[in-house]
Amino acid sequence: MNDFLKVKDQNFLVVGVANKKSVAYEIGRVLTEAGARVLYSVASEEHRKSVTKILPGAPIFVCNVEKQEEIARLYEEVKVQCPVLHGLVHSIAFANYSQGIKPFHETPKPDFLQAFDISCFSLINLSNQFKDLFHPQASVVTISIMTTVFAVENYGYMAPIKAALNSSLVFLAKSFSRFSEIRFNAVGAGPLKTSAAAGIPGFVESYLFAELRTLRKRNLATREVANAAVFLLSEASSGITGQVIVIDAGSTMNGFDAEIIRRATKLE
């Protein structure tokens, strides 16, 4: 696998580790196992203290992506650690569900704009900040969702924001092509057992429903999403850019599944 991926001795910045359940944590593990050097960025000093326990010895920086000065500082700190970045992992998403899920047309403007800033604009901002540190053939990968077409009510306004994130990949790939071959892609993941997902109202029921929709009747493991992300980070995916690679075990293609229909209509 190492020869195929060709990430050995390359430098990658992974943004968004919270704990061992994080997609970002698993991506870092896969990269490390393949011989890459991985640097991490977390949202706060409190996060750094906890993440240090699960990533002993790894360079871990603090950056609140809502603050431009902290993104600039992150760039300077990473630049000291390595002369070039071969890839960036953007695994950040936030939505304020503290008041529960409202009908979409009642979405509070401050909540929407904050979620957009953290979950979408941060990719644009980080990419721009690090453009001079990227290798000319670097790869940027973000974590998205398996579909932004379905109206998933308990996910609320985050789906439109993820749709904007997906669209941003195309525009980033185009604008960066003026001076590099840097690629921008996303992994569109199905439901995962992460701490962030646990904060979504009604997530357990949605998770179980999604599992029924998979062709194998088994939801994704975080490792499966991480493997896809590392492939996109690697030279092996050099011809792929501006794309969302869906990893959902067939969930979105499984329409009118007989078992689901039987359960929903209580037919025997």
Side-chain angles (χ1 to χ4, degrees):
M1 178 179 285
N2 290 2
D3 290 338
F4 175 70
L5 293 175
K6 297 181 180 178
V7 297
K8 186 177 181 181
D9 298 325
Q10 292 189 349
N11 302 314
F12 296 88
L13 175 63
V14 176
V15 182
V17 176
N19 50 53
K20 283 189 174 182
K21 293 183 178 181
S22 301
V23 176
Y25 172 78
E26 199 65 34
I27 292 172
R29 284 186 62 190
V30 176
L31 283 169
T32 300
E33 290 169 8
R37 184 187 183 210
V38 185
L39 301 84
Y40 297 89
S41 174
V42 297
S44 66
E45 187 61 42
E46 182 181 355
H47 277 101
R48 175 155 65 178
K49 290 178 182 178
S50 61
V51 171
T52 297
K53 296 176 183 177
I54 61 174
L55 293 170
I60 303 172
F61 308 102
V62 174
C63 177
N64 178 349
V65 294
E66 293 181 88
K67 299 180 179 180
Q68 186 63 43
E69 65 272 18
E70 293 200 19
I71 291 178
R73 186 185 67 196
L74 176 64
Y75 170 79
E76 295 298 333
E77 291 174 338
V78 171
K79 188 177 179 181
V80 170
Q81 291 279 337
C82 60
V84 61
L85 271 183
H86 297 88
L88 169 70
V89 176
H90 174 272
S91 185
I92 312 172
F94 173 82
N96 181 10
Y97 293 124
S98 62
Q99 297 180 13
I101 294 295
K102 297 178 179 292
F104 181 71
H105 60 275
E106 295 180 9
T107 299
K109 182 177 179 179
D111 290 352
F112 186 91
L113 294 180
Q114 182 186 34
F116 186 90
D117 188 13
I118 296 172
S119 308
C120 179
F121 184 73
S122 60
L123 173 67
I124 303 167
N125 207 356
L126 285 165
S127 299
N128 182 52
Q129 185 69 60
F130 280 88
K131 63 181 182 295
D132 294 331
L133 197 59
F134 283 142
H135 187 276
Q137 285 86 39
S139 176
V140 177
V141 175
T142 188
I143 305 302
S144 188
I145 56 177
M146 63 184 186
T147 178
T148 58
V149 176
F150 297 155
V152 183
E153 288 186 298
N154 63 325
Y155 199 47
Y157 53 83
M158 275 302 295
I161 290 172
K162 287 291 189 178
L165 177 70
N166 294 351
S167 180
S168 297
L169 297 170
V170 176
F171 286 87
L172 284 167
K174 177 65 176 178
S175 60
F176 269 66
S177 71
R178 296 177 182 273
F179 55 85
S180 74
E181 295 181 15
I182 296 171
R183 298 178 293 113
F184 294 84
N185 293 294
V187 176
L192 294 167
K193 288 183 178 179
T194 64
S195 299
I200 301 172
F203 174 74
V204 173
E205 292 82 359
S206 296
Y207 181 87
L208 294 174
F209 175 73
E211 188 161 61
L212 284 176
R213 283 179 56 96
T214 63
L215 298 181
R216 66 190 188 186
K217 306 305 178 187
R218 175 167 48 86
N219 267 331
L220 295 175
T222 308
R223 183 78 172 201
E224 292 176 302
V225 176
N227 287 339
V230 173
F231 165 70
L232 289 172
L233 288 167
S234 76
E235 185 181 314
S237 64
S238 59
I240 303 174
T241 191
Q243 302 298 315
V244 179
I245 307 301
V246 175
I247 310 295
D248 70 347
S251 178
T252 51
M253 63 174 280
N254 190 18
F256 297 101
D257 181 88
E259 182 179 352
I260 297 175
I261 293 172
R262 190 163 49 247
R263 293 190 182 198
T265 58
K266 297 182 181 179
L267 297 176
E268 296 298 336

